[in-house]
Amino acid sequence: MVVNASIIFNEVPHGAPVPGKTLKRVEEELDVATVDLEGGLLVKMKAVSLDPYLRGRMRASSKASYNQAFALGKVIDTLGVGIVERSDHPDFPKGAILKGLLPYSEYALLSKARLDMKLAKVVEKPDGIAWTTMVGACGMPSATAWIGLYEIGRIKKGDTIFISAASGAVGQIAGQLAKREGLTVIGSAGSDEKVAFLKEIGYDHAFNYKTTSTQDFLEQHPPSVVFENVGGETLDAVLATIQNNGRIIHCGSVSQYNLPPDQQYGLKNTSNVVTKRLRWEGFIVSNHDWTEFDKTMPKLVANGEIKFKEHVTKGIDNGEAFLDMLEGRNFGKAVVSLE
Amino acid sequence: MVVNASIIFNEVPHGAPVPGKTLKRVEEELDVATVDLEGGLLVKMKAVSLDPYLRGRMRASSKASYNQAFALGKVIDTLGVGIVERSDHPDFPKGAILKGLLPYSEYALLSKARLDMKLAKVVEKPDGIAWTTMVGACGMPSATAWIGLYEIGRIKKGDTIFISAASGAVGQIAGQLAKREGLTVIGSAGSDEKVAFLKEIGYDHAFNYKTTSTQDFLEQHPPSVVFENVGGETLDAVLATIQNNGRIIHCGSVSQYNLPPDQQYGLKNTSNVVTKRLRWEGFIVSNHDWTEFDKTMPKLVANGEIKFKEHVTKGIDNGEAFLDMLEGRNFGKAVVSLE
């Protein structure tokens, strides 16, 4: 018998999620040796990923969006990695490493029906890579950086790219990949410490948006392509300063997710889409083909060509780690270690 | 000796242009028989085009934009057509028809230096087409509809397209071209008379945005592609209702051109660019290749396959016709006959 801790979606939040109310830690006793698998698996989870898009799933199930709302009272899921502890399913033998959309729990019982949805697959774990890195530097944010730069932004040598939330999970990888391709790379972040980190990983220019005006800085260094993670005022500054024929890779609007509809920032500079002939494109990484990324990224991480920073929380909490990530108090990719 | 009337840019406007102040009619005596051509041409202008983008050129010359500011005190130019009356230039013989960026005047003196900039070229005028139609249905707005639909929107059979300002110069052509390609076509306009016209030229659905909420209407008919001419609240309704993977062909923001910066509408729904994976793209028709358009459009107009409506003003005024066009009091493509 073990006590299995999980996080459930307890209540639809208005504005910012409240730890213990929106997300809530629950415990149940689980007999890992004898629990009936009914054709599925018992997985010992090793790490899960905390990402801003999860905020969007914390909504009433009646509200449609590009992803599924979390079910009230149920354990939430996110990108995770774990080891098959017991198996009733021939495709997932005991000891296999499973990666994909998995429960935010210490132990996960996966039904055969769920496995058939192919939300998770068996993967190799390269030597010397931590469990958290499997969902961190080799996880969804890095795939987002990859797809955004190559498929949406179609970056090319000579471009000047501005990356907002640059020390975040997506930004730190996007900047390094862009630098490898010969771009001039500019990043903004919310503290001097983060700015120093950006310079350390090869950003040509970096500034603290809390003490330096984004618009002023970009007027000095007008970007030809922008990897936009923030939305709101930052995006307005981007529209004001981006070069003619610029491209905006719109990846997220983290500054707006917690605001009620009547407090959403109103963008004033969208007429520039016409006058500057911009291409502004959104994307959802899960709709794109990761083959090239999956083939290349683990090697770059394993041989140290891509540096990364993780913000590791240990164990299951009441959603405090998620809120910290959402409000920018993490430094690097937010992951939870469940070892 | 003739009296040659022209319109000059007299004063930078704050908000809407004021007839007689912003634009002003001036007259000068011109000896058409003997005036020195200095290697250039004397052209009798036949028609000029009034277009919203001209508002953007009525700015202080210190303010950079995608096009050139009008020079204070000088005659403005716009797409026009005329006949060469006298020529000092071998490429432009007497009697040739000249079309392009030309002065808003009854008679135009074009220097050799100006001709070398190739802002206007010699064209054929098909039988049975009015002078105004040369700059109307065969002019820039139709080219804008063409490039927007085919190059930017990449329309395909089965798409549902929403066109704002649909009875305007661009919209009436865009709707008909889209219908020819097998799209479901929805248009909005500012009067019931305009709505009736839209249905007459083949729009599947049309509504008066002054009496019907754009957002409510589009919720009933969510578009997959949008030809956006209006900006502001209309564009916010588009972002709220457009289908996943939708494309926004951003052609203009006519609702915003006359507003000072602090009164620009603040768009609230731009996070949907990400969640709906939208592609939102602006373009300037003069940067695109018109070859295909120039080859096809005159035939469609000549054989009646494309219907069009012109709002013809006769002669040179103090800018009243321009203001009417900008504020939507015209019905169809605004042109000025100078015959």
Side-chain angles (χ1 to χ4, degrees):
Chain A
M1 282 302 236
V2 299
V3 173
N4 181 28
S6 303
I7 288 186
I8 63 163
F9 180 40
N10 187 58
E11 196 180 289
V12 175
H14 302 282
V18 180
K21 284 188 71 179
T22 309
L23 298 180
K24 190 175 163 182
R25 176 190 164 103
V26 296
E27 295 179 351
E28 52 161 15
E29 294 216 322
L30 183 69
D31 190 335
V32 293
T34 64
V35 59
D36 188 356
L37 303 182
E38 294 173 358
L41 308 177
L42 175 72
V43 175
K44 172 68 189 81
M45 295 298 295
K46 293 292 192 177
V48 295
S49 172
L50 298 177
D51 301 287
Y53 87 95
L54 297 171
R55 171 65 183 82
R57 300 186 62 190
M58 298 173 196
R59 63 179 194 270
S61 59
S62 58
K63 235 178 127 183
S65 184
Y66 68 98
N67 54 25
Q68 216 176 355
F70 287 129
L72 277 169
K74 303 286 185 189
V75 176
I76 67 171
D77 53 16
T78 177
L79 187 78
V81 63
I83 295 182
V84 178
E85 186 120 335
R86 288 176 49 214
S87 174
D88 259 8
H89 196 301
D91 296 348
F92 302 90
K94 180 176 157 68
I97 295 169
L98 204 61
K99 183 181 171 189
L101 209 57
L102 289 168
Y104 196 146
S105 292
E106 292 170 342
Y107 286 88
L109 274 169
L110 303 177
S111 68
K112 184 173 181 309
R114 181 174 177 132
L115 291 170
D116 288 345
M117 291 168 69
K118 299 188 191 301
L119 301 174
K121 60 181 182 180
V122 175
V123 296
E124 301 283 319
K125 180 171 166 294
D127 281 349
I129 284 188
W131 285 106
T132 50
T133 306
M134 290 291 287
V135 296
C138 295
M140 200 188 67
S142 298
T144 303
W146 185 281
I147 302 287
L149 292 174
Y150 293 107
E151 286 192 36
I152 310 298
R154 298 172 219 153
I155 56 168
K156 53 187 193 305
K157 196 178 154 85
D159 270 329
T160 296
I161 191 168
F162 168 59
I163 302 173
S164 60
S167 70
V170 177
Q172 60 177 270
I173 303 297
Q176 293 178 79
L177 290 174
K179 196 68 210 162
R180 283 173 54 87
E181 299 291 343
L183 282 74
T184 300
V185 182
I186 305 164
S188 66
S191 77
D192 292 345
E193 192 194 359
K194 290 180 183 180
V195 167
F197 170 67
L198 292 179
K199 291 185 175 161
E200 211 179 291
I201 62 173
Y203 273 71
D204 297 288
H205 306 281
F207 64 95
N208 180 344
Y209 70 85
K210 290 178 178 164
T211 54
T212 298
S213 146
T214 299
Q215 177 144 350
D216 289 351
F217 198 93
L218 294 184
E219 273 169 11
Q220 301 305 312
H221 306 278
S224 57
V225 55
V226 173
F227 203 118
E228 232 294 84
N229 298 302
V230 169
E233 208 174 339
T234 302
L235 184 46
D236 238 0
V238 162
L239 288 164
T241 56
I242 191 169
Q243 296 176 26
N244 287 342
N245 301 304
R247 297 92 77 199
I248 301 173
I249 306 160
H250 199 173
C251 175
S253 301
V254 72
S255 72
Q256 305 298 301
Y257 293 147
N258 275 339
L259 301 176
D262 62 325
Q263 284 175 37
Q264 294 280 316
Y265 178 87
L267 280 185
K268 301 271 189 182
N269 296 327
T270 55
S271 296
N272 289 359
V273 175
V274 184
T275 53
K276 296 183 173 185
R277 302 83 97 183
L278 305 180
R279 179 167 59 82
W280 174 358
E281 202 162 341
F283 70 107
I284 304 289
V285 69
S286 52
N287 294 346
H288 289 260
D289 180 5
W290 292 27
T291 311
E292 197 60 32
F293 166 76
D294 277 336
K295 220 166 57 187
T296 316
M297 196 68 194
K299 289 182 210 158
L300 297 179
V301 170
N303 68 20
E305 282 190 71
I306 296 284
K307 299 185 186 74
F308 60 95
K309 208 159 196 127
E310 283 177 359
H311 184 99
V312 181
T313 301
K314 288 198 182 293
I316 303 274
D317 62 11
N318 265 308
E320 290 90 348
F322 177 75
L323 185 64
D324 283 348
M325 180 277 308
L326 204 60
E327 300 194 336
R329 287 186 291 272
N330 61 310
F331 186 174
K333 171 71 191 104
V335 287
V336 178
S337 171
L338 301 170
E339 287 183 75
Chain B
M1 278 307 236
V2 299
V3 173
N4 181 29
S6 304
I7 287 187
I8 63 164
F9 180 40
N10 187 58
E11 196 180 290
V12 175
H14 302 281
V18 180
K21 284 189 69 178
T22 310
L23 299 180
K24 190 176 165 182
R25 176 189 165 103
V26 295
E27 295 179 353
E28 52 161 14
E29 294 214 324
L30 183 69
D31 190 336
V32 294
T34 64
V35 60
D36 187 356
L37 303 182
E38 296 173 357
L41 308 177
L42 175 71
V43 175
K44 171 70 189 80
M45 295 298 296
K46 293 292 192 178
V48 295
S49 173
L50 297 177
D51 301 289
Y53 86 95
L54 297 171
R55 171 64 184 82
R57 300 186 61 192
M58 297 172 197
R59 64 179 193 271
S61 59
S62 57
K63 235 178 127 183
S65 184
Y66 69 98
N67 54 26
Q68 216 176 356
F70 287 130
L72 276 169
K74 304 285 185 190
V75 176
I76 68 171
D77 53 15
T78 176
L79 187 77
V81 65
I83 295 182
V84 177
E85 187 121 332
R86 287 176 50 215
S87 174
D88 259 8
H89 195 301
D91 295 350
F92 302 90
K94 181 176 155 70
I97 295 170
L98 204 61
K99 184 181 170 189
L101 209 56
L102 288 168
Y104 195 146
S105 291
E106 291 169 342
Y107 287 87
L109 275 169
L110 303 177
S111 68
K112 184 174 183 306
R114 184 176 174 129
L115 291 170
D116 288 346
M117 291 167 71
K118 297 186 192 302
L119 301 174
K121 59 181 180 179
V122 174
V123 297
E124 300 283 320
K125 179 171 165 295
D127 281 348
I129 283 188
W131 285 107
T132 50
T133 307
M134 290 292 287
V135 295
C138 296
M140 200 189 66
S142 298
T144 303
W146 185 281
I147 302 287
L149 292 174
Y150 293 107
E151 285 192 37
I152 310 296
R154 297 171 220 152
I155 55 167
K156 53 184 194 305
K157 197 177 152 84
D159 270 329
T160 296
I161 191 168
F162 168 60
I163 302 173
S164 59
S167 70
V170 177
Q172 59 176 270
I173 303 297
Q176 292 178 80
L177 290 173
K179 195 68 210 163
R180 283 172 55 87
E181 300 289 345
L183 281 75
T184 300
V185 182
I186 305 164
S188 66
S191 77
D192 292 345
E193 192 194 0
K194 290 180 182 180
V195 166
F197 169 68
L198 292 178
K199 289 183 175 162
E200 213 178 290
I201 63 173
Y203 272 72
D204 297 289
H205 307 281
F207 64 95
N208 181 343
Y209 70 84
K210 290 179 178 164
T211 53
T212 298
S213 145
T214 300
Q215 177 145 350
D216 289 352
F217 197 94
L218 294 183
E219 272 170 10
Q220 301 303 312
H221 305 278
S224 57
V225 56
V226 173
F227 202 118
E228 233 293 85
N229 298 301
V230 169
E233 208 174 339
T234 302
L235 184 46
D236 238 0
V238 161
L239 289 165
T241 57
I242 191 169
Q243 296 176 26
N244 287 341
N245 302 302
R247 296 92 78 200
I248 300 174
I249 305 160
H250 200 175
C251 175
S253 300
V254 72
S255 72
Q256 305 299 300
Y257 293 146
N258 275 338
L259 301 176
D262 63 326
Q263 283 175 36
Q264 294 280 315
Y265 179 88
L267 280 185
K268 301 271 189 181
N269 295 327
T270 54
S271 296
N272 290 359
V273 175
V274 184
T275 54
K276 295 183 172 185
R277 301 83 97 183
L278 305 181
R279 180 167 58 81
W280 174 357
E281 201 161 342
F283 69 108
I284 304 289
V285 69
S286 52
N287 294 346
H288 290 260
D289 180 5
W290 291 28
T291 311
E292 197 59 31
F293 166 76
D294 276 335
K295 220 165 57 186
T296 316
M297 196 68 192
K299 291 183 208 157
L300 297 178
V301 170
N303 69 19
E305 281 189 73
I306 295 285
K307 298 186 187 75
F308 61 96
K309 210 161 195 125
E310 283 177 359
H311 184 98
V312 181
T313 301
K314 287 198 184 293
I316 302 273
D317 62 10
N318 265 309
E320 291 89 349
F322 177 75
L323 186 64
D324 283 349
M325 180 278 309
L326 203 61
E327 299 194 334
R329 286 186 292 272
N330 61 311
F331 186 175
K333 171 72 192 104
V335 287
V336 178
S337 170
L338 301 170
E339 287 184 74

